[in-house]
């Protein structure tokens, strides 16, 4: 069994430009070293440069690393490695080493998911049932209950995945990540003067907002909804954001195949210490909102 050094890269968020990937190679002997750029197991948004939000790594959540046909759930890894990456001082990268037993052949593929708590099942899919050209698939959970913090959404809701293939078994693995989650940002939320402090926000819709998504690593670019709920709850009290008004509150949600348009809505129920306020936003052809994986859509609410 060899230790592998893995270099993992993480993109920056952009409201308009999408995600960019930077590479931070590291070397190590007789191991696969994983290094993440832009964030570690726990992820946070950094200070924006214009409309681009860098993603910073911390060490609060495990990453799951799978080799070739390995499968697993949060409770059972079946040989896969569940580890806490170690972020660099600037938190733009993170690294760790993990042992894997090399297999024979000319195809050595590593798959990653973060955070591990979002993992439902990592498996192999053979739709033709012929045992040939199996695909690696993952079922991951975007939680219905989220605790946003200052400048970032709930780390448990930032679901990211990576894949890297080599013809020979490597000592070092460089893995570019992609997002399964879409993101929203409430620029501001204003209640009538004299209102109590806001402790939570319930977001409801006719669309699916939270739950389990499906992703095929060998057919990137598509995140499919599997099952879930048409709402999510933001606990701003536990995240330290409680106040008479809210500003820059982030959340994660299921990516939407189509923009919110005619017949679609988002209903916001704002809970204060002593009262409840509601605001429904209806969409039309001329008033749309898009939630794409790896992108942040921002808006403001005025319930005053």
């Amino acid at each position: 069994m060899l230790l592998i050094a893995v270099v993992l890269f993480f993109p920056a968020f952009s409201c308009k430009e999408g995600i960019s990937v930077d590479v931070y190679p590291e070397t190590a002997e007789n191991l696969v070293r994983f290094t993440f750029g832009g964030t570690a197991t726990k992820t946070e948004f950094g200070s924006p440069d214009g409309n681009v939000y860098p993603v910073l790594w911390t060490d609060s959540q495990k990453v799951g690393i799978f080799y070739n046909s390995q499968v697993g759930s949060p409770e059972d890894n079946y040989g896969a490695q569940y580890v806490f990456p170690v972020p660099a001082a600037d938190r733009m990268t993170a690294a760790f080493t993990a042992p894997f037993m090399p297999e024979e052949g000319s195809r050595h593929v590593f798959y990653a998911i973060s955070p591990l708590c979002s993992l439902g099942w990592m498996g192999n899919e053979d739709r033709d049932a012929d045992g040939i050209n199996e695909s690696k698939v993952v079922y991951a959970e975007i939680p219905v209950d989220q605790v946003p913090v200052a400048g970032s959404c709930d780390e448990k809701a930032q679901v990211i995945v990576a894949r890297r293939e080599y013809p020979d078994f490597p000592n070092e693995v460089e893995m570019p990540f992609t997002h399964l989650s879409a993101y929203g940002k409430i620029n501001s939320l204003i209640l009538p003067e004299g209102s109590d402090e806001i402790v939570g926000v319930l977001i409801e819709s006719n669309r699916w907002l939270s739950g389990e998504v499906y992703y095929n690593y060998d057919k990137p670019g598509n995140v499919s909804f599997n099952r879930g709920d048409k709402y999510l709850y933001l606990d701003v009290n536990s995240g330290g954001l409680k106040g008479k008004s809210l500003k820059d509150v982030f959340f994660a949600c299921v990516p939407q195949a189509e923009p919110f348009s005619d017949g679609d809505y988002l209903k916001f129920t704002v809970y204060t210490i002593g009262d409840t306020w509601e605001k429904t936003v209806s969409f039309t052809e001329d008033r749309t909102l898009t939630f794409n994986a790896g992108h942040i859509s921002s808006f403001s609410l005025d319930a005053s």
Side-chain angles (χ1 to χ4, degrees):
M1 182 174 291
L2 297 180
L3 284 176
I4 297 179
V6 182
V7 181
L8 305 176
F9 311 110
F10 203 82
F13 291 91
S14 171
C15 298
K16 296 181 179 178
E17 301 299 331
I19 294 173
S20 61
V21 178
D22 294 319
V23 177
Y24 304 87
E26 297 188 15
T27 60
E29 186 177 355
N30 294 329
L31 52 79
V32 181
R33 179 177 182 78
F34 297 83
T35 302
F36 315 115
T39 176
T41 44
K42 171 186 172 184
T43 53
E44 300 177 343
F45 296 161
S47 299
D49 179 8
N51 65 343
V52 177
Y53 287 80
V55 183
L56 308 178
W57 288 98
T58 69
D59 56 5
S60 301
Q61 300 291 324
K62 286 185 176 179
V63 171
I65 302 292
F66 300 80
Y67 171 51
N68 280 357
S69 61
Q70 288 178 338
V71 299
S73 67
E75 297 78 22
D76 301 295
N77 64 346
Y78 303 103
Q81 297 296 312
Y82 299 165
V83 296
F84 288 104
V86 179
D90 63 2
R91 297 199 295 157
M92 293 301 292
T93 64
F96 66 89
T97 58
F100 286 94
M101 182 67 71
E103 297 179 359
E104 295 182 358
S106 59
R107 188 172 184 265
H108 304 274
V109 190
F110 293 88
Y111 307 89
I113 182 169
S114 175
L116 181 64
C117 64
S118 70
L119 175 64
W121 176 251
M122 181 77 72
N124 302 301
E125 185 176 84
D126 183 6
R127 291 190 178 273
D128 298 328
D130 58 4
I132 302 174
N133 296 325
E134 288 187 342
S135 294
K136 179 69 70 180
V137 299
V138 66
Y139 294 87
E141 189 79 14
I142 298 174
V144 64
D145 294 310
Q146 300 179 23
V147 182
V149 296
S152 186
C153 72
D154 192 328
E155 61 183 288
K156 296 182 179 64
Q158 296 185 43
V159 184
I160 56 175
V161 294
R163 177 190 185 277
R164 197 62 186 265
E165 181 174 347
Y166 295 86
D168 299 307
F169 190 81
N171 290 330
E172 181 175 332
V173 173
E174 302 177 356
M175 303 187 76
F177 274 97
T178 189
H179 295 263
L180 299 191
S181 301
Y183 303 95
K185 177 190 175 189
I186 303 175
N187 293 325
S188 65
L189 195 162
I190 301 173
L191 294 182
E193 186 176 350
S195 300
D196 291 328
E197 290 184 312
I198 301 169
V199 296
V201 180
L202 175 68
I203 306 176
E204 301 173 274
S205 181
N206 60 304
R207 299 274 200 94
W208 303 106
L209 295 180
S210 59
E212 187 177 75
V213 294
Y214 164 91
Y215 181 76
N216 187 325
Y217 283 87
D218 298 305
K219 298 177 181 179
N222 246 339
V223 183
S224 302
F225 175 76
N226 194 43
R227 59 172 177 80
D229 298 292
K230 295 181 178 180
Y231 68 93
L232 55 87
Y233 180 73
L234 307 180
D235 182 358
V236 298
N237 184 40
S238 297
L241 303 181
K242 180 177 68 173
K244 297 280 188 178
S245 62
L246 298 180
K247 182 179 180 181
D248 297 341
V249 176
F250 292 88
F251 62 88
C253 65
V254 171
Q256 305 294 316
E258 300 291 337
F260 280 72
S261 187
D262 276 339
D264 296 322
Y265 68 87
L266 289 174
K267 178 183 177 182
F268 298 84
T269 303
V270 183
Y271 298 94
T272 70
I273 294 175
D275 212 338
T276 301
W277 302 85
E278 293 184 353
K279 177 79 171 183
T280 298
V281 178
S282 299
F283 298 93
T284 66
E285 287 186 3
D286 299 322
R287 188 186 191 188
T288 65
L289 185 65
T290 302
F291 289 107
N292 292 327
H295 290 252
I296 301 171
S297 294
S298 61
F299 52 90
S300 297
L301 293 171
D302 188 345
S304 61

